[in-house]
Amino acid sequence: GSSRARLERQRSALLKLSKSWRLYEADLDKAVAQIVEAATDALGLDRSSVWFYNAERDAIICHDLYEAGARQHSQGTTLHARDFPAYFEALRSEEVITAEDAHTDPRTAQFSKPYLSPVGIGAMLDAPIRVGGAFVGVLCNEHIGGARKFTTDEQNAASYLANLVSLAYEIQRRARSEHEAKRSLSLLRAAFEASGAGILAVDATGKVTAHNELLLELWGISRETLAESDRAQRVHHMASNAKDPAAVESRIMQVYTDPECDSLDTFELKDGRYLEITSQPQRLDDEVIGRVWSFRDVSYQRSIEKELRELSIRDALTGLFNRRCAEETLLAEMHRAQRTKQPFSVAMLDIDHFKQVNDVHGHQVGDDVLRQLAVDMREQLRKTDVACRWGGEEFLVILPYTGIEGARHAIDKLRVYLARERESLPHFTVSAGVAEYDGGERPDTMIATADERLYEAKQTGRNRVC
């Protein structure tokens, strides 16, 4: 249905981007241009743009705006914090902004008259761009027309594309110094060598007509064995290196049965590497005279994908899991509890008088407090507990296999530890509310209960658990 079509559109756009990424990742302008074009394709939107903070961080400047209908790029527009304070305050949260009705959403409503209405924008999906833990800009995706809902997979796609902007920005930043430029060039040369593919060409009968040295290295096969083996022996020998030999052998032989077939597959080898195998017919005029196989080690790309996934579920400031990951984990934990009939609890924590910390000591010290709290939570909580930054100075802890009393005891122990005096930071305490899953609640109901008890803790004196 529409969901499948939407996911296929995203997959197609990201696949197209991945094929061109290696050409442009070291050039910020070209990389960003590729990314905003991919964003309009992936999200089915009319406009996508990348904005970076100015040096004073009191404005954002459009680096590249792509309008899909006109297929044109532009840049240079500047938005000042003094003109749009609500939006800039929302940016400070470093969370994805889903303004499904941008004219009424309090974060974007100030854009309505000067920006949204003249262009015809009805909805916005903005993802933060972070570099080295710092928030440097935003990937802004805009829908022309009325209000529009954004699905979770669309929000994930926007975050993924924003992470690619972050990567391109980081490469550009490092390249500005001579030392880093030399280092990047060295890395680029090494990556170019490492990105080479093993090539095998065969004629219509399956006889080897050409190959390169990397092919022999990838498959651990000698030149003599390659030359002397027939197609079935060669395929069997290569497949024996795979984690699932039968699947690889079956797929390769299936491709051979169709002379016109183009194929792209990825298989895991026994040593843990991932190999991307592409194949296409070799033509002379209109006649298929053979087949060319390409074998590329994509283990590095797989590790980057894993790293990007990790980035997408982590809070940039504290390193804890972010709200989206918390919601996914909470849902999974509820399903587990329903299946196993085992309890679990959640705790909502809030730093007491955090605004005073920022007002008196400055936002940098406030950020240091948030980071230290995250460190303390990781040290004091069990390894099975999941600590997340819910937003601002609020934190959520998910405690598997733990009833309400056990959860209160664990969180109170954490509360006492957090309230200790520190030499390098101002004194701070937390209040907390705890709720246990009753077997039938929805995630938002359980969070609401924990929130109510957190409010009770605040109202009855703070620095306590309710």
Side-chain angles (χ1 to χ4, degrees):
S2 61
S3 176
R4 175 176 291 183
R6 185 181 69 251
L7 293 174
E8 177 58 28
R9 182 183 69 227
Q10 293 173 21
R11 189 196 70 81
S12 177
L14 295 178
L15 180 61
K16 179 181 177 182
L17 176 62
S18 69
K19 290 180 178 179
S20 62
W21 176 252
R22 280 181 292 236
L23 298 175
Y24 302 117
E25 62 179 351
D27 186 322
L28 182 62
D29 293 340
K30 291 181 179 178
V32 168
Q34 293 287 310
I35 291 167
V36 291
E37 289 184 16
T40 59
D41 289 341
L43 302 174
L45 296 177
D46 307 279
R47 294 156 58 96
S48 181
S49 53
V50 167
W51 303 70
F52 292 124
Y53 269 114
N54 64 353
E56 295 76 20
R57 298 185 67 80
D58 60 2
I60 53 175
I61 302 169
C62 181
H63 187 87
D64 192 319
L65 164 65
Y66 178 65
E67 298 172 87
R71 300 179 64 84
Q72 67 180 17
H73 292 262
S74 58
Q75 60 181 188
T77 302
T78 300
L79 300 178
H80 295 276
R82 64 175 181 270
D83 298 324
F84 309 102
Y87 180 72
F88 276 78
E89 183 63 27
L91 290 181
R92 283 175 54 83
S93 73
E94 301 184 22
E95 299 290 339
V96 175
I97 297 175
T98 53
E100 296 177 346
D101 185 340
H103 293 277
T104 61
D105 191 297
R107 298 167 295 183
T108 58
Q110 292 169 332
F111 288 131
S112 181
K113 185 176 181 179
Y115 181 65
L116 302 180
S117 294
V119 180
I121 297 168
M124 297 170 64
L125 172 60
D126 292 4
I129 300 169
R130 307 179 186 89
V131 175
F135 177 45
V136 301
V138 62
L139 171 66
C140 181
N141 305 285
E142 300 165 339
H143 166 67
I144 302 295
R148 182 195 193 278
K149 289 188 175 299
F150 296 105
T151 61
T152 298
D153 55 82
E154 288 175 326
Q155 296 177 44
N156 290 343
S159 295
Y160 175 82
L161 290 165
N163 284 331
L164 287 183
V165 177
S166 302
L167 183 59
Y169 187 101
E170 176 68 12
I171 292 173
Q172 178 89 342
R173 186 179 70 165
R174 291 187 178 185
R176 286 173 182 167
S177 73
E178 182 177 354
H179 175 74
E180 290 298 338
K182 291 180 179 179
R183 182 177 177 182
S184 296
L185 182 58
S186 174
L187 179 62
L188 183 62
R189 287 172 177 165
F192 178 80
E193 294 298 325
S195 67
I199 304 298
L200 173 67
V202 298
D203 63 18
T205 67
K207 181 181 178 180
V208 175
T209 56
H211 68 84
N212 63 4
E213 293 298 318
L214 185 54
L215 176 83
L216 307 179
E217 296 176 17
L218 284 174
W219 289 108
I221 188 172
S222 69
R223 191 187 311 275
E224 293 72 25
T225 301
L226 183 66
E228 294 171 3
S229 60
D230 61 26
R231 182 169 65 189
Q233 292 173 323
R234 185 170 62 249
V235 172
H236 181 75
H237 176 87
M238 291 180 173
S240 66
N241 291 277
K243 188 174 183 179
D244 186 349
V248 175
E249 187 167 354
S250 173
R251 176 56 178 157
I252 293 177
M253 295 306 293
Q254 179 187 21
V255 172
Y256 269 123
T257 62
D258 182 2
E260 298 289 341
C261 175
D262 287 330
S263 68
L264 171 60
D265 301 280
T266 302
F267 296 104
E268 185 178 1
L269 303 184
K270 290 178 178 178
D271 62 8
R273 290 178 298 150
Y274 286 87
L275 213 60
E276 180 184 85
I277 304 176
T278 59
S279 180
Q280 61 182 28
Q282 179 186 358
R283 291 184 172 86
L284 182 60
D285 296 326
D286 293 330
E287 180 185 359
V288 175
I289 62 170
R291 178 163 291 277
V292 178
W293 295 84
S294 172
F295 305 90
R296 185 182 298 275
D297 186 339
V298 293
S299 304
Y300 175 73
Q301 289 91 322
R302 282 295 181 101
S303 69
I304 290 295
E305 290 172 4
K306 183 178 179 181
E307 182 179 342
L308 288 174
R309 163 62 183 166
E310 183 70 10
L311 285 172
S312 73
I313 62 174
R314 291 284 181 180
D315 172 61
L317 179 65
T318 64
L320 298 178
F321 292 113
N322 60 21
R323 182 165 182 161
R324 185 177 70 215
C325 180
E327 291 171 341
E328 293 173 357
T329 304
L330 185 59
L331 191 60
E333 192 61 25
M334 294 178 76
H335 290 158
R336 182 203 59 74
Q338 291 170 352
R339 186 177 66 254
T340 64
K341 307 304 180 185
Q342 294 292 322
F344 84 96
S345 300
V346 300
M348 187 68 76
L349 287 74
D350 185 272
I351 301 177
D352 297 325
H353 302 298
F354 186 67
K355 184 176 184 300
Q356 292 182 14
V357 174
N358 281 329
D359 290 345
V360 174
H361 301 281
H363 287 285
Q364 182 60 54
V365 172
D367 287 349
D368 291 341
V369 167
L370 293 172
R371 292 190 190 95
Q372 184 59 52
L373 186 146
V375 170
D376 291 347
M377 291 177 74
R378 282 191 288 264
E379 289 179 353
Q380 294 298 306
L381 293 172
R382 302 171 302 179
K383 293 196 178 297
T384 53
D385 297 331
V386 181
C388 314
R389 186 181 180 192
W390 192 249
E393 65 270 25
E394 274 195 323
F395 295 82
L396 179 74
V397 181
I398 302 172
L399 301 99
Y401 300 100
T402 307
I404 188 75
E405 292 306 320
R408 283 200 179 109
H409 176 76
I411 298 303
D412 196 58
K413 181 181 176 183
L414 173 63
R415 176 195 64 79
V416 172
Y417 185 75
L418 292 172
R420 72 191 188 281
E421 294 293 338
R422 298 173 172 84
E423 294 182 1
S424 58
L425 289 175
H427 180 256
F428 68 90
T429 61
V430 300
S431 299
V434 181
E436 179 180 350
Y437 180 57
D438 69 0
E441 292 177 308
R442 301 185 325 185
D444 53 352
T445 304
M446 194 177 182
I447 294 297
T449 301
D451 258 333
E452 290 172 3
R453 292 172 180 166
L454 170 59
Y455 179 76
E456 180 184 345
K458 292 281 191 182
Q459 292 298 107
T460 54
R462 293 184 169 83
N463 190 22
R464 63 189 61 208
V465 178
C466 289

